[in-house]
Amino acid sequence: MLAAIWAEDKHGLIGIKGKLPWHLPNDLKFFKKMTIHNTVVMGRKTFEGMGKKALPDRQTIVLTNDLDYEAENVLIVHTVEEVLQYAEETEGITFIIGGREIFKAFLPYLDILYKTVIHESFEGDVYFPKIDWSKWAIVSISEGIVDEKNKYVHQFETYQKKQ
Ligand code: RAR
């Protein structure tokens, strides 16, 4: 099972220089809860934006063209096909977690989408790729809780690929 998980602002912005444009701990808690004991797949730039560290309690896969790339506790792959093969052979959910080029490459193969929408506008340089929403059905929307540590109105949306 292949899923994508991401957070975007009201304009579809997802990143700034390999990092997240906002501070929203609730979203990271959601991301942590969804991916635990599963697999996360990211591009090399996102991996480096996250401090070049594997996340605990989940398999981390990094996709790069660099055949000499190395990192501890991480499975390095060089093609989309390697990830598709891995997802087929592996129980649980393989989560595509970014960035833009990686989301774009896997869009045709995804079964489920977990999108966090942050109803604000931020500064940044990377947007989620164009997606044909007519192919997707919304299955749930859950409102995030706004408090002192989570200042932005946000919601967690889940979509399933239509037949
Ligand atoms: N795909 C996503 C992501 C991805 C994402 C991107 C980042 O920067 C580009 C991140 O760095 C800020 C992160 C950070 C994740 C993170 N954790 N994630 C799992 C911590 C803290 C959790 C509260 C952690 C995890 C597991 C074990 C221990 C600690 O810091 C992530 C983000 N959000 C969404 N919706 N989709």
Side-chain angles (χ1 to χ4, degrees):
M1 167 85 92
L2 204 58
I5 186 167
W6 77 96
E8 62 174 51
D9 81 353
K10 61 198 244 190
H11 300 116
L13 182 79
I14 60 169
I16 178 160
K17 299 187 168 80
K19 305 206 167 173
L20 297 175
W22 42 76
H23 174 71
L24 191 62
N26 274 354
D27 174 61
L28 295 185
K29 282 184 193 141
F30 176 75
F31 171 79
K32 178 180 178 183
K33 181 186 85 180
M34 295 305 292
T35 57
I36 191 162
H37 300 147
N38 287 300
T39 298
V40 295
V41 179
M42 69 191 105
R44 192 265 307 161
K45 289 182 200 164
T46 298
F47 180 58
E48 294 188 355
M50 291 170 70
K52 255 190 135 169
K53 288 214 178 78
L55 292 167
D57 309 314
R58 64 222 74 201
Q59 173 69 55
T60 299
I61 299 182
V62 174
L63 190 49
T64 173
N65 286 320
D66 181 350
L67 297 177
D68 299 320
Y69 201 78
E70 286 178 14
E72 263 178 46
N73 302 316
V74 167
L75 179 61
I76 310 286
V77 298
H78 306 100
T79 65
V80 167
E81 287 68 31
E82 271 177 272
V83 175
L84 298 179
Q85 179 82 28
Y86 171 95
E88 263 188 31
E89 291 168 352
T90 308
E91 280 189 45
I93 307 179
T94 299
F95 284 92
I96 306 303
I97 72 160
R100 179 181 213 277
E101 295 312 314
I102 306 301
F103 288 128
K104 200 174 168 181
F106 286 97
L107 266 179
Y109 311 107
L110 298 172
D111 307 298
I112 190 153
L113 307 176
Y114 297 100
K115 170 165 82 151
T116 304
V117 181
I118 305 168
H119 295 268
E120 284 280 340
S121 120
F122 294 88
E123 296 283 309
D125 53 7
V126 187
Y127 290 80
F128 196 82
K130 192 174 124 51
I131 179 164
D132 180 359
W133 285 106
S134 71
K135 293 196 161 67
W136 295 90
I138 191 148
V139 290
S140 77
I141 304 184
S142 144
E143 208 60 39
I145 293 164
V146 174
D147 58 25
E148 298 85 77
K149 290 184 175 161
N150 296 275
K151 290 194 181 355
Y152 314 115
V153 173
H154 58 289
Q155 60 198 32
F156 303 102
E157 303 182 351
T158 305
Y159 297 83
Q160 241 164 33
K161 185 81 166 266
K162 290 183 189 167
Q163 302 281 12

